Amino acid sequence: MEEPIYLDHAATTPLDLRVLQAMLPYLTERFGNPSSIHRLGREARQALDEARGSVAEVLNASPQEIVFTSSGTEADNLAIKGVAHALLLEGKGNHIITSAIEHHAVLHTCDYLERLGFQVTRLPVDGYGLVHPEVLAEAIRPETVLVSIMYANNEVGTIEPIPELAAVAHRHGVYFHTDAVQAGGSLSLDVEALGVDLLSLSAHKFYGPRGVGMLYVRRGVPLMPQIHGGGQERNRRSGTENVAGIVGLATALRLAQEEREAYNAHCLHLRERLIAGLLERIPSARLNGHPTRRLPNNAHFCFERVDGESLLVKLDQQGIYASGGSACTAGALEPSHVLTAMGVPPEMARGALRLTVGRQNTPEQIERVLDLLPRSIEEVADV
Ligand code: PLP
């Protein structure tokens, strides 16, 4: 069998060997706890400080504004619950605004807060998955404390107008969080240019290790810790730091941002061929998401009369690794909440296929996918 073709980079990416090299000493001989006073501890502390400084530089932030977490999910939870709880205690209000197409790390956190008595507005999106600033402006109330809207969508790749949305929130004195987990590898993360108060990232989406994330928290933004304990991360997230993971995140982020232009050009080239080739071979296919305001590595389609799960199994048998939508909702039978919010009819939404390219993909692989895909679709289509 030929080499498998991995087209699921939105789910996770392989670890960059340069990142592994940077991490290895902290998994082996430099194993100290950064809170220890002795030399081993101080070495670990120094690695942590350097990683924080490096991340802050990439984000155009200061090191004190970076909180390391165990994942993008935890960063989203900390941002939303942290601000909501802090402002509730200050008696400021209990209304949160998000969008209907967020990752479940945001949506389920908002559902949970709603059960606790917070009010939540989930903004609609247009047919491309865009949140419109005027729609946000209309939803803001005197008791609104936080807006959370993702930078780029994990299913269809649509890039939201974050600077404009953040400006609307700020005009009303409301804090703005963005889940930038999918954007970390390919878009600018300058928090000043974006105008955001909080921003979440996850290392495994840009060739770093799984199980480590971070939250940028602008100085002065009230944040109630969600994990209590030894007071690490300036009391904002307790727990002995994952030094190797954090070094990995910082190294991967720096490399991703330094190599962004070439990476995006590489992905865009493959992605455009994939889209053009597929639409040519399967004219009834529908491309989802915005035609231009989309992540350079994302292609997302729906096919008529096709069950997405069966298609994924068929592709897997042929060594093509893809996804139906977000990995976290794979296995669920109901159509994706993102496609539903974009107005994709349910019978079309059930036949969703997300192909996300990355560093190791080649033009030859894309041609092979284009050769194999039409037959696979035909084989799983209802008759
Ligand atoms: N937010 C978005 C947009 C994502 O795509 C993901 C992962 O798929 C997450 C949050 C969760 O990140 P993590 O896997 O680090 O928990």
Side-chain angles (χ1 to χ4, degrees):
M1 192 168 145
E2 290 190 65
E3 280 275 292
I5 303 176
Y6 185 77
L7 292 177
D8 203 12
H9 291 83
T12 197
T13 54
L15 189 67
D16 185 320
L17 293 183
R18 295 169 295 178
V19 174
L20 176 64
Q21 286 304 329
M23 293 171 67
L24 272 176
Y26 301 97
L27 292 164
T28 52
E29 73 270 19
R30 296 192 176 182
F31 60 86
N33 184 325
S35 297
S36 296
I37 300 292
H38 51 67
R39 189 177 60 82
L40 267 184
R42 292 198 308 277
E43 273 174 10
R45 167 69 49 199
Q46 192 184 340
L48 208 54
D49 290 346
E50 281 171 13
R52 201 184 303 282
S54 168
V55 168
E57 202 173 71
V58 170
L59 267 59
N60 191 17
S62 61
Q64 301 88 326
E65 295 174 314
I66 308 300
V67 181
F68 291 114
T69 65
S70 68
S71 58
T73 299
E74 190 195 327
D76 286 342
N77 271 260
L78 176 58
I80 299 168
K81 293 177 191 164
V83 170
H85 285 140
L87 289 176
L88 187 72
L89 273 193
E90 287 180 19
K92 293 274 167 55
N94 70 345
H95 180 228
I96 298 162
I97 300 176
T98 186
S99 84
I101 61 159
E102 299 296 312
H103 189 271
H104 285 140
V106 167
L107 286 179
H108 288 168
T109 300
C110 290
D111 294 348
Y112 161 81
L113 287 173
E114 207 169 32
R115 288 199 295 280
L116 292 187
F118 284 86
Q119 296 176 58
V120 178
T121 299
R122 297 162 187 84
L123 298 179
V125 294
D126 69 14
Y128 295 127
L130 282 171
V131 178
H132 288 266
E134 36 318 340
V135 175
L136 170 61
E138 276 168 30
I140 293 179
R141 308 177 195 160
E143 62 275 18
T144 309
V145 288
L146 180 69
V147 175
S148 178
I149 294 173
M150 68 202 321
Y151 195 171
N153 181 263
N154 48 302
E155 293 189 31
V156 297
T158 297
I159 300 168
E160 302 297 341
I162 296 302
E164 291 79 4
L165 293 165
V168 170
H170 289 160
R171 260 204 306 281
H172 295 82
V174 175
Y175 292 116
F176 190 93
H177 165 247
T178 192
D179 173 344
V181 167
Q182 286 292 335
S186 44
L187 304 182
S188 163
L189 298 174
D190 181 330
V191 292
E192 291 305 325
L194 288 168
V196 298
D197 302 302
L198 304 111
L199 177 145
S200 310
L201 285 176
S202 176
H204 74 104
K205 306 291 186 179
F206 44 84
Y207 303 88
R210 278 158 289 284
V212 56
M214 56 134 286
L215 180 67
Y216 157 78
V217 187
R218 187 179 289 278
R219 185 177 295 128
V221 172
L223 192 84
M224 179 78 81
Q226 301 299 308
I227 297 184
H228 303 91
Q232 287 89 345
E233 297 294 302
R234 294 174 166 250
N235 265 321
R236 292 168 297 187
R237 197 277 183 185
S238 286
T240 300
E241 300 87 341
N242 173 5
V243 179
I246 290 167
V247 167
L249 182 148
T251 309
L253 185 64
R254 184 166 280 281
L255 288 170
Q257 289 288 319
E258 279 170 5
E259 297 171 2
R260 192 151 63 91
E261 224 171 285
Y263 180 66
N264 286 350
H266 167 76
C267 289
L268 201 59
H269 175 66
L270 300 178
R271 195 277 303 277
E272 289 301 289
R273 173 68 193 131
L274 195 54
I275 292 179
L278 213 126
L279 294 179
E280 186 190 302
R281 286 167 171 77
I282 311 167
S284 63
R286 169 194 170 121
L287 176 70
N288 297 304
H290 198 277
T292 54
R293 281 192 70 96
R294 72 186 300 139
L295 289 172
N297 75 340
N298 174 294
H300 190 289
F301 305 94
C302 282
F303 304 105
E304 276 174 350
R305 302 181 294 116
V306 166
D307 168 51
E309 293 283 323
S310 311
L311 179 59
L312 292 180
V313 171
K314 180 65 83 187
L315 292 176
D316 181 28
Q317 287 162 356
Q318 296 174 322
I320 299 173
Y321 304 151
S323 197
S326 76
C328 320
T329 46
L333 284 176
E334 61 281 12
S336 129
H337 66 284
V338 175
L339 296 180
T340 303
M342 287 164 53
V344 178
E347 64 280 9
M348 202 70 183
R350 80 184 182 104
L353 178 69
R354 181 185 71 185
L355 301 170
T356 43
V357 299
R359 246 183 227 168
Q360 281 144 16
N361 293 131
T362 61
E364 294 71 36
Q365 289 183 332
I366 301 303
E367 294 311 316
R368 213 174 111 217
V369 171
L370 289 173
D371 283 343
L372 290 171
L373 200 57
R375 163 96 71 87
S376 305
I377 290 171
E378 213 35 60
E379 282 173 6
V380 298
D382 313 332
V383 279

